[in-house]
């Protein structure tokens, strides 16, 4: 309000000022005493009025004649318009005017003679202004006063704010109380004044510091942020590291030099120089390796492992008894004459029983009393035999046919040769074979050996064919062997090629001094005879076990040997009585591809014919000589080929050599399975080893033992080992590489009586069996321990060396012997001067010659024994 | 040809199974074995000789490989290297 009020009075004042000035002018320019000194009447032209905004009846009127003019403006106007300016006469007054604004009053009534008048002094201005102020002119006077003094406050217009102010104000409700405390103290006491810190806790000044109240938070409601638009697409670059560059190449063909290049290089000087320089070095190195192998492991080369075990374990390991087979019914009082393992079926042994000599009165009664049997035993059934083969008489020797294990040939006590065909029972023998013994064999639901079937009845098989009585041997057949399928023999003994790949011929020997060759096939000469029999023969199958298989029907009772070999003695009349013989086993190379077919092809023997000798190729390289062991302990080497004498009669040749090595019956002759030309013979009290082709005698003779040797066999896996059975039931194991003067193992009293037969068998690589048969009819099967079955390193080589050495020794000995004999002869000549003619006439002085020979050989024996 | 006479004392040694002469890159020049074995031996032994030679020279730069003998179970291979060629002899040791 105040500023408004200010404006209006200033406005009014200016109006009033002009009015005043105008009033001063109508009175003449002479100064009338009417108007006071400080009032100057002035005339303002219209232009001036417009300039100062005091136009008559516009800015200044009757009601508001006052106008305040600024001093500066007036001075300005005076300066610009100089003499023409209306304010020129008052120039001096204006300049002297102390205040900034001069009052101009519009004089309506022309009081002072002009239309306007100018109030020159501030006092007059104040007076007029104030006077003119109260009524309408009163306003003029008041205006004069207002100009000089501050405007007076107007009276308070209450708009209701008094109440609020009263409420807000703080009023004392009561009078302030005043308390005065004073402590009475005696004046004059010392006074102590001290300072006190206001911040100390004792002061008890309570502060209220400010703290941040977590309950209270200010939420920022507004925030300034800036945003920038980002381009959608951005392109950038980067440097990648390239993989390591490397050359790779593939070669499909080796690089080779062209011929020209090669020739060029070969002829170049460079190459020559190179070779010259390099050759000494290379030669040096070559010779070094040649001289000595620096890399040999001497320890290993000693072969210490296997050999050491040989020596160390000599006593501890031996033959272990696996099974004992006895058959009370048949074995009672019988002894076993021969044992043979079945060649293909494992664990099957065939045993031939013969009656003891004491019981037998004569041959015929023995035949009637009880038939003899060949008993088949199979593991592990120790008491029940698998099969029985009925024999016409006691069998002394029998053999399985190597090409057809179902055919068995046996030699009887009465000299007959018997044939069996067990093909009917073959599945039975094989099928019920329990597999429990062989660990590695197929999984066994083994105990399908049907006890029921077996317990009641052991199948019995009768013989198929037996040789005719006239043509058989006159004394027991002691040895039977099959000829290998690689060759066969004609009627004259010439070995020819065997077109059918089976063994068809059998050789037998007997102490009636003959060796007979038999053929299983239908003989040529009897073709017409057997013409009507052929139809019967065609029926091959068998119905019941008791019916006789017709396989060999063509031979039955009419079987005759192909030919006979008689064994005349070399220097005396009479003949050797062979007990055992041994043929050289001939293998023909051309037939090797057919060897495996044998098992499947069961030949029809009845359909086979003995071919004519002319159609077959003669095999010249078959060794037709064979060894014979006789009843008297001689070993005879003879040829079975029949020779022609001057009358074109066939006769057997004289033996090539004959040695009386053994003192008594020769009971074993066996070829070594490793060396075809090495033969082991036992008889009497010693054994001997022979080498085929060596005519001088046995290459090795073992020492005599205190017990009679009754059986022997080579080990099948070790070339240097063989087993000898003795009369007291012990077994000696010999290892020629370890000890040649005594047995390496000695198993005492394996059997209680004389051992009649030993046969080894290899069931698997870990299972080697030895079948030992004795005089009481017991068959024991031993398993051969590892030391005796696994060969030592280079054993065969060593054995070969041994035999060669022995051979050489023998040769040397013979030479020496000759020398010695000559010397003796000379000595004898000088003494007696009668020479018994021993060499030439053997028929005349046969006895003397015999004696001489005998003494010679005894001496030989002695010398060897030394 | 001359190299035959030069190689004959080596070839006459007991137990020598084969001789190969190859150039410095391992390409056989002359050989007594069949082609495929020759190429195989030459290539493989060349690599071996390079490796061996670099080994020797790494250890001592003034040293160089003069002879190599590789003894295996079955035989012994002798290698005589040179600047431009190398000679390979395969020998069966006496036993």
């Amino acid at each position: 309000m105040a500023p408004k009020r200010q404006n209006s009075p200033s406005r009014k004042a200016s109006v009033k000022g002009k009015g005043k000035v105008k009033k001063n002018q109508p009175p003449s320019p002479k100064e009338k005493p009417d108007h006071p000194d400080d009032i100057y009447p002035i005339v303002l032209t219209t232009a001036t009025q417009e300039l100062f905004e005091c136009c008559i009846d516009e800015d200044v009127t009757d009601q508001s004649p006052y106008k305040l003019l600024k001093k500066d403006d007036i001075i300005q106007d005076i300066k610009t318009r100089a003499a023409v300016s209306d304010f020129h006469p008052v120039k001096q007054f204006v300049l002297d005017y102390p205040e900034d604004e001069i009052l101009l009053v519009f004089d309506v009534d022309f009081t002072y003679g002009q239309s306007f008048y100018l109030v020159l002094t501030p006092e007059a201005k104040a007076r007029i202004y104030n006077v003119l102020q109260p009524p309408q002119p009163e306003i003029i006077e008041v205006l004069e006063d207002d100009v000089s003094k501050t405007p007076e406050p107007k009276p308070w217009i209450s708009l209701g704010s008094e109440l609020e102010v009263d409420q807000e104000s703080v009023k004392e409700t009561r009078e302030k109380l005043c308390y005065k405390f004073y402590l009475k103290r005696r004046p004059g006491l010392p006074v102590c004044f001290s300072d006190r810190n206001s911040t100390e806790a004792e002061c008890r000044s309570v502060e209220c510091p400010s703290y941040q109240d977590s309950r209270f938070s200010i939420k920022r409601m507004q925030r300034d942020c800036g945003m920038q638009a980002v381009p959608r697409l951005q392109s950038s670059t980067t440097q990648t590291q390239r993989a390591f560059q490397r050359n790779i190449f593939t070669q499909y063909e080796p690089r080779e030099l062209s011929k020209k290049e090669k020739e060029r290089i070969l002829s170049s000087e460079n190459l020559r120089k190179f070779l010259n320089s390099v050759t000494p070095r290379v030669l040096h190195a070559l010779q070094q390796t040649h001289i000595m192998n620096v890399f040999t492991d001497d320890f290993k080369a000693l072969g210490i492992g296997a050999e050491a075990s040989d020596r160390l374990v000599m006593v501890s390991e031996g033959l272990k008894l696996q099974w004992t087979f006895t058959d009370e019914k048949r074995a009672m009082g019988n002894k076993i004459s021969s044992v043979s393992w079945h060649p293909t079926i494992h664990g099957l042994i065939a045993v031939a029983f013969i009656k003891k000599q004491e019981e037998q009165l004569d041959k015929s009664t023995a035949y009637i009393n009880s038939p003899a049997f060949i008993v088949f035993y199979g593991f592990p059934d120790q008491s029940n035999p698998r099969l029985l083969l009925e024999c016409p008489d006691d069998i002394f020797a029998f053999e399985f046919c190597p090409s057809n294990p179902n055919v068995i040939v046996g030699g009887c006590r009465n000299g007959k040769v018997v044939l069996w065909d067990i093909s009917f029972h073959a599945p039975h023998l094989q099928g019920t074979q329990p597999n429990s013994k062989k660990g590695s064999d197929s999984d066994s639901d083994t105990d399908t050996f049907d006890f029921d079937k077996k317990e009641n009845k052991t199948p019995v098989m009768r013989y198929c064919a037996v040789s005719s009585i006239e043509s058989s041997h006159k004394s027991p057949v002691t040895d039977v062997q099959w000829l290998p399928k690689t060759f066969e023999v004609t009627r004259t003994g010439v070995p020819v090629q065997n077109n059918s790949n089976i063994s068809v011929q059998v050789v037998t020997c007997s102490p009636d001094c003959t060796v007979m060759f038999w053929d299983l096939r239908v003989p040529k000469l009897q073709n017409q005879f057997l013409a009507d029999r052929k139809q019967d023969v065609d029926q091959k199958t068998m119905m019941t076990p008791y019916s006789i298989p017709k396989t060999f029907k063509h031979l039955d009772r009419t079987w005759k040997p192909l030919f006979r070999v008689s064994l005349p003695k070399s220097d005396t009349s009479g003949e050797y009585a062979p007990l055992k013989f041994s043929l050289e086993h001939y293998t023909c190379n051309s037939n090797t591809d057919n060897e495996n077919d044998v098992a499947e092809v069961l030949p029809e023997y009845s359909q086979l014919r003995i071919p004519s000798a002319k159609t077959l190729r003669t095999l010249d390289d078959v060794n037709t000589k064979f060894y014979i062991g006789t009843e008297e302990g001689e070993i005879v080497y003879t040829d079975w080929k029949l020779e022609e004498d001057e009358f074109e009669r066939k006769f057997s040749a004289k033996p090539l050599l004959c040695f009386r090595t053994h003192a008594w019956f020769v009971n074993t002759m066996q070829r070594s399975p490793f060396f075809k030309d090495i033969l082991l013979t036992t008889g009497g009290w010693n054994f001997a080893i022979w080498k085929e082709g060596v005519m001088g005698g046995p290459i090795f003779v073992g020492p005599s033992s205190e017990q009679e040797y009754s059986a022997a066999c080579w080990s099948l896996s070790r070339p240097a080992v063989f087993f000898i059975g003795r009369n007291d039931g012990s077994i000696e194991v010999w290892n020629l590489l370890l000890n040649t003067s005594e047995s390496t193992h000695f198993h005492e009293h394996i059997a209680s009586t004389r051992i009649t037969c030993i046969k080894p068998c290899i069931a698997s690589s870990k299972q080697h069996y030895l079948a030992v048969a004795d005089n009481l009819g017991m068959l024991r099967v031993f398993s051969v321990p590892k030391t005796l079955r696994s060969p030592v390193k280079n054993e065969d080589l060593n054995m070969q060396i041994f035999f060669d050495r022995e051979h050489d020794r023998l040769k040397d000995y013979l030479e020496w012997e000759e020398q010695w004999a000559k010397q003796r002869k000379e000595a004898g000549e000088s003494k007696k001067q009668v020479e018994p003619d021993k060499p030439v006439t053997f028929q005349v002085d046969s006895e003397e010659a015999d004696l001489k020979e005998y003494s010679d050989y005894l001496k030989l024996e002695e010398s060897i024994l030394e | 040809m001359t190299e035959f006479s030069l190689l004959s004392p080596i070839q006459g040694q007991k137990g020598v199974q084969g001789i190969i002469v190859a150039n410095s890159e391992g390409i056989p020049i002359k050989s007594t074995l069949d082609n495929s074995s020759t190429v195989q031996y030459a290539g493989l032994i060349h690599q071996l000789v390079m490796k061996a030679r670099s080994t020797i020279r790494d250890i001592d730069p003034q040293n160089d490989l003069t002879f190599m003998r590789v003894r295996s179970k079955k035989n012994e291979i002798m290698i005589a290297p040179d600047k431009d060629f190398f000679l390979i002899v395969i020998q069966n040791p006496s036993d």
Side-chain angles (χ1 to χ4, degrees):
Chain A
M1 287 210 44
K4 280 186 188 170
R5 286 175 64 199
Q6 288 280 338
N7 281 337
S8 53
S10 65
R11 229 182 149 186
K12 286 172 187 166
S14 62
V15 168
K16 285 168 192 156
K18 278 206 180 143
K20 267 188 200 171
V21 170
K22 261 205 172 157
K23 204 149 194 206
N24 287 341
Q25 277 203 323
S28 57
K30 40 194 165 165
E31 286 184 18
K32 289 185 173 180
D34 286 315
H35 66 91
D37 298 305
D38 43 11
I39 304 280
Y40 189 77
I42 194 167
V43 177
L44 292 179
T45 59
T46 322
T48 315
Q49 285 175 24
E50 283 179 13
L51 194 68
F52 286 100
E53 293 174 352
C54 55
C55 294
I56 296 173
D57 293 327
E58 283 179 30
D59 299 314
V60 290
T61 55
D62 204 13
Q63 268 74 28
S64 59
Y66 299 108
K67 186 94 181 165
L68 282 169
L69 301 173
K70 288 225 172 91
K71 177 186 164 181
D72 293 331
D73 294 338
I74 297 172
I75 293 170
Q76 193 78 25
D77 182 53
I78 291 169
K79 277 184 188 164
T80 52
R81 295 199 286 167
V84 184
S85 164
D86 296 326
F87 295 101
H88 182 68
V90 294
K91 176 180 165 186
Q92 194 59 45
F93 292 113
V94 170
L95 286 172
D96 297 328
Y97 194 75
E99 283 185 4
D100 286 334
E101 290 183 323
I102 299 175
L103 181 67
L104 181 73
V105 180
F106 175 53
D107 195 357
V108 176
D109 300 318
F110 283 84
T111 338
Y112 298 111
Q114 297 286 11
S115 57
F116 288 91
Y117 64 88
L118 199 69
V119 174
L120 298 172
T121 60
E123 299 86 16
K125 177 181 130 191
R127 194 171 18 102
I128 291 169
Y129 206 57
N130 287 339
V131 170
L132 293 177
Q133 196 68 8
Q136 222 25 340
E138 189 183 307
I139 294 171
I140 299 168
E141 285 183 16
V142 170
L143 277 175
E144 281 181 63
D145 288 354
D146 278 327
V147 173
S148 57
K149 51 179 168 185
T150 58
E152 277 182 21
K154 284 221 171 141
W156 176 252
I157 304 167
S158 167
L159 292 172
S161 61
E162 284 164 336
L163 289 167
E164 290 168 13
V165 172
D166 278 338
Q167 278 172 359
E168 289 296 317
S169 64
V170 176
K171 290 189 187 93
E172 290 174 356
T173 50
R174 60 168 169 77
E175 202 180 44
K176 280 188 184 157
L177 297 174
C178 181
Y179 293 95
K180 206 187 249 184
F181 299 93
Y182 54 91
L183 183 66
K184 249 191 188 171
R185 63 197 304 278
R186 278 184 293 144
L189 284 175
V191 181
C192 173
F193 290 104
S194 68
D195 289 329
R196 186 177 243 162
N197 199 346
S198 66
T199 59
E200 284 170 27
E202 297 138 21
C203 307
R204 300 268 183 242
S205 65
V206 177
E207 298 186 307
C208 287
S210 67
Y211 66 95
Q212 183 142 7
D213 193 351
S214 60
R215 292 169 294 168
F216 180 74
S217 67
I218 299 176
K219 193 172 171 186
R220 193 178 185 138
M221 301 300 287
Q222 205 173 18
R223 190 175 64 180
D224 286 330
C225 66
M227 293 191 52
Q228 187 181 5
V230 176
R232 243 186 223 172
L233 282 174
Q234 196 174 15
S235 72
S236 64
T237 59
T238 173
Q239 182 82 14
T240 59
Q241 197 169 19
R242 289 187 74 183
F244 219 47
Q245 278 187 328
R246 207 182 328 182
N247 283 336
I248 298 180
F249 50 89
T250 316
Q251 202 174 351
Y252 294 100
E253 268 178 5
R255 283 170 67 193
E256 282 181 5
L257 298 172
S258 67
K259 271 197 177 163
K260 276 190 187 164
E261 288 230 337
K262 276 192 191 169
E263 281 168 21
R264 185 182 60 79
I265 294 177
L266 284 175
S267 54
S268 70
E269 186 62 33
N270 228 354
L271 185 70
R272 211 167 303 147
K273 257 198 290 182
F274 161 70
L275 287 175
N276 277 328
S277 68
V278 137
T279 303
R281 276 181 249 160
V282 176
L283 281 176
H284 179 72
L286 283 170
Q287 281 163 357
Q288 268 184 349
T289 44
H290 178 53
I291 291 168
M292 193 185 97
N293 183 8
V294 290
F295 294 103
T296 47
D297 187 357
D298 291 325
F299 192 71
K300 248 193 209 162
L302 282 178
I304 214 118
E307 274 184 12
S309 65
D310 243 2
R311 287 179 203 278
L312 294 172
V313 199
M314 221 153 62
V315 186
S316 52
E317 264 193 57
L319 298 172
K320 288 195 187 100
L321 179 61
Q322 293 272 54
W323 299 280
T324 311
F325 294 98
T326 56
D327 190 13
E328 287 87 18
K329 285 180 265 178
R330 282 159 276 275
M332 231 4 125
N334 293 343
K335 60 177 183 172
I336 299 175
S337 62
S338 180
V339 170
S340 184
W341 292 88
H342 194 281
T344 51
I345 300 177
H346 284 145
L348 199 61
I349 309 180
V351 176
F353 287 100
I354 59 173
K355 314 245 176 348
K356 291 210 175 120
Q357 292 278 23
E358 306 87 68
E359 290 181 12
Q360 190 185 342
L361 301 171
D362 62 320
K363 295 173 193 175
S364 53
T365 51
Y367 182 74
I368 297 166
N369 283 345
S370 53
F373 287 102
I374 292 183
V375 184
F376 278 69
Y377 288 113
F379 301 161
D381 190 10
Q382 294 187 23
S383 48
N384 282 334
R386 291 286 176 86
L387 181 64
L388 296 176
L389 294 183
E390 202 182 303
C391 330
D393 199 0
D394 290 342
I395 296 285
F396 270 66
F398 71 97
E399 278 278 331
F400 286 92
C401 173
S403 53
N404 182 7
N406 291 329
V407 174
I408 304 165
V409 68
C412 294
R413 186 191 287 272
N414 53 12
K416 292 196 194 160
V417 179
V418 188
L419 278 173
W420 290 271
D421 183 355
I422 57 166
S423 41
F424 180 74
H425 290 284
H428 162 77
L429 287 171
Q430 217 158 17
T432 57
Q433 186 67 219
N435 290 331
S436 55
K437 271 299 133 205
K438 288 94 195 133
S440 56
D441 272 21
S442 60
D443 40 65
S444 40
D445 320 311
T446 53
D447 305 345
T448 58
F449 59 64
D450 305 299
F451 257 98
D452 306 328
K453 252 199 224 167
K454 287 245 210 97
E455 245 172 7
N456 299 335
K457 215 159 61 162
T458 315
V460 180
M461 194 89 203
R462 224 174 116 79
Y463 51 90
C464 298
V466 71
S467 60
S468 65
I469 298 179
E470 316 85 43
S471 29
S472 304
H473 287 281
K474 306 288 178 291
S475 38
V477 177
T478 50
D479 201 2
V480 173
Q481 273 188 23
W482 289 87
L483 273 184
K485 62 182 189 224
T486 47
F487 71 98
E488 58 179 68
V489 173
T490 63
R491 285 186 170 280
T492 54
V494 176
V496 291
Q497 187 184 28
N498 186 357
N499 282 337
S500 59
N501 261 320
I502 48 169
S503 300
V504 286
Q505 297 186 333
V506 181
V507 186
T508 61
C509 80
S510 163
D512 65 351
C513 311
T514 53
V515 172
M516 296 194 187
F517 283 71
W518 306 76
D519 197 306
L520 291 182
R521 299 169 291 190
V522 177
K524 210 170 50 170
L525 300 172
Q526 293 180 358
N527 274 348
Q528 298 93 349
F529 249 59
L530 298 172
D532 28 311
R533 278 201 188 188
K534 269 185 199 170
Q535 275 78 29
D536 306 333
V537 157
D538 284 334
Q539 305 167 20
K540 206 175 66 159
T541 56
M542 291 138 288
M543 274 63 74
T544 69
Y546 278 98
S547 72
I548 303 162
K550 299 188 173 38
T551 329
F552 296 110
K553 199 82 179 145
H554 56 280
L555 297 171
D556 200 11
R557 289 198 192 85
T558 58
W559 202 12
K560 274 177 24 174
L562 268 182
F563 69 99
R564 289 189 182 80
V565 179
S566 59
L567 305 164
K569 288 206 180 165
S570 51
D571 27 337
T572 60
S573 65
E575 287 170 333
Y576 294 111
L579 284 180
K580 297 276 178 192
F581 65 92
S582 171
L583 305 168
E584 181 171 340
H585 193 84
Y586 173 74
T587 51
C588 173
N589 291 330
S590 61
N591 284 339
T592 45
D593 47 63
N594 289 330
E595 271 171 17
N596 294 327
D597 299 342
V598 175
E600 290 92 42
V601 176
L602 286 181
E604 270 231 35
Y605 292 101
S606 55
Q607 300 299 329
L608 298 172
R609 303 278 179 271
I610 300 174
S612 138
K614 297 177 196 119
T615 61
L616 295 170
R617 182 168 68 88
T618 313
L619 296 170
D620 293 323
D621 48 349
V622 176
N623 189 5
T624 57
K625 305 179 190 57
F626 62 117
Y627 282 91
I628 297 173
T630 67
E631 268 183 341
E632 285 154 19
E634 294 147 335
I635 307 292
V636 179
Y637 188 51
T638 186
D639 197 334
W640 73 61
K641 263 196 294 206
L642 297 176
E643 289 178 358
E644 288 188 357
D645 63 357
E646 55 270 17
F647 302 111
E648 288 192 16
R649 274 179 306 161
K650 306 276 195 271
F651 69 96
S652 298
K654 295 272 183 230
L656 296 163
L657 60 85
C658 163
F659 284 102
R660 202 198 221 118
T661 334
H662 303 289
W664 213 15
F665 295 151
V666 172
N667 46 41
T668 309
M669 291 187 79
Q670 201 188 18
R671 302 238 167 199
S672 167
F674 294 89
F675 303 101
K676 289 290 163 261
D677 52 353
I678 299 291
L679 201 70
L680 172 74
T681 62
T682 50
W685 282 268
N686 59 0
F687 69 89
I689 295 182
W690 303 78
K691 190 174 164 110
E692 186 137 7
V694 173
M695 299 297 166
I699 58 171
F700 182 78
V701 177
S704 291
S705 74
E706 64 273 10
Q707 285 283 329
E708 193 189 334
Y709 286 158
S710 50
C713 72
W714 286 97
S715 159
L716 289 178
S717 55
R718 291 191 67 174
V721 173
F722 54 90
F723 304 91
I724 297 184
R726 307 207 314 191
N727 207 14
D728 59 354
S730 324
I731 288 187
E732 284 181 9
V733 180
W734 284 76
N735 186 339
L736 286 175
L737 287 176
L738 284 183
N739 202 338
T740 54
S741 58
E742 61 169 7
S743 64
T744 50
H745 293 243
F746 182 66
H747 300 271
E748 278 221 14
H749 299 297
I750 285 197
S752 40
T753 60
R754 177 192 172 99
I755 291 177
T756 51
C757 192
I758 304 181
K759 282 277 167 68
C761 158
I762 296 181
S764 66
S765 66
K766 295 271 189 254
Q767 290 171 327
H768 291 209
Y769 297 116
L770 200 68
V772 177
D774 69 357
N775 240 5
L776 280 182
M778 299 245 304
L779 175 70
R780 290 177 182 80
V781 177
F782 294 88
S783 68
V784 180
K786 188 165 190 289
T787 52
L788 290 176
R789 67 166 184 259
S790 53
V792 176
K793 180 178 153 180
N794 291 333
E795 192 165 326
D796 44 356
L797 286 175
N798 291 339
M799 276 313 285
Q800 188 68 49
I801 294 168
F802 172 80
F803 291 134
D804 293 337
R805 200 176 59 219
E806 292 297 320
H807 182 200
D808 295 335
R809 192 182 59 80
L810 180 70
K811 270 197 285 190
D812 293 338
Y813 180 77
L814 289 174
E815 281 173 19
W816 173 83
E817 170 84 3
E818 260 183 54
Q819 298 274 330
W820 182 73
K822 271 191 210 154
Q823 285 174 11
R824 212 165 50 94
K825 223 179 5 177
E826 283 158 15
E829 268 180 1
S830 60
K831 277 186 192 173
K832 291 180 185 177
Q833 312 219 351
V834 173
E835 224 179 32
D837 38 326
K838 62 172 173 7
V840 183
T841 56
F842 51 88
Q843 278 166 357
V844 176
D845 297 317
S846 60
E847 265 200 353
E848 267 186 41
D850 249 354
L851 279 170
K852 190 86 178 37
E853 259 187 61
Y854 181 59
S855 60
D856 276 347
Y857 285 119
L858 280 179
K859 281 182 193 125
L860 181 72
E861 255 188 316
E862 279 169 22
S863 59
I864 290 170
L865 288 171
E866 281 159 23
Chain B
M1 303 191 74
T2 46
E3 74 291 343
F4 268 131
S5 62
L6 288 167
L7 286 177
S8 56
I10 298 175
Q11 194 145 23
Q13 281 286 321
K14 193 171 174 190
V16 170
Q17 283 177 341
I19 305 176
I20 302 169
V21 178
N23 73 350
S24 54
E25 291 176 343
I27 307 176
I29 297 172
K30 186 84 189 145
S31 164
T32 61
L33 301 170
D34 58 289
N35 193 31
S36 54
S37 311
T38 301
V39 157
Q40 194 175 24
Y41 264 106
L44 292 168
I45 288 180
H46 169 252
Q47 293 178 29
L48 185 66
V49 165
M50 286 301 120
K51 195 71 182 178
R53 179 181 263 157
S54 69
T55 307
I56 302 282
R57 293 192 70 136
D58 271 349
I59 293 169
D60 180 10
Q62 292 180 342
N63 206 355
D64 196 9
L65 183 68
T66 51
F67 200 75
M68 251 182 92
R69 278 165 97 163
V70 181
R71 181 64 183 260
S72 74
K73 262 202 261 189
K74 295 188 183 170
N75 47 26
E76 181 160 344
I77 305 172
M78 284 168 231
I79 307 150
D82 191 60
K83 193 161 59 71
D84 307 320
F85 306 96
F86 57 97
L87 175 73
I88 305 166
V89 180
I90 304 151
Q91 187 197 28
N92 209 354
S94 50
D95 59 359

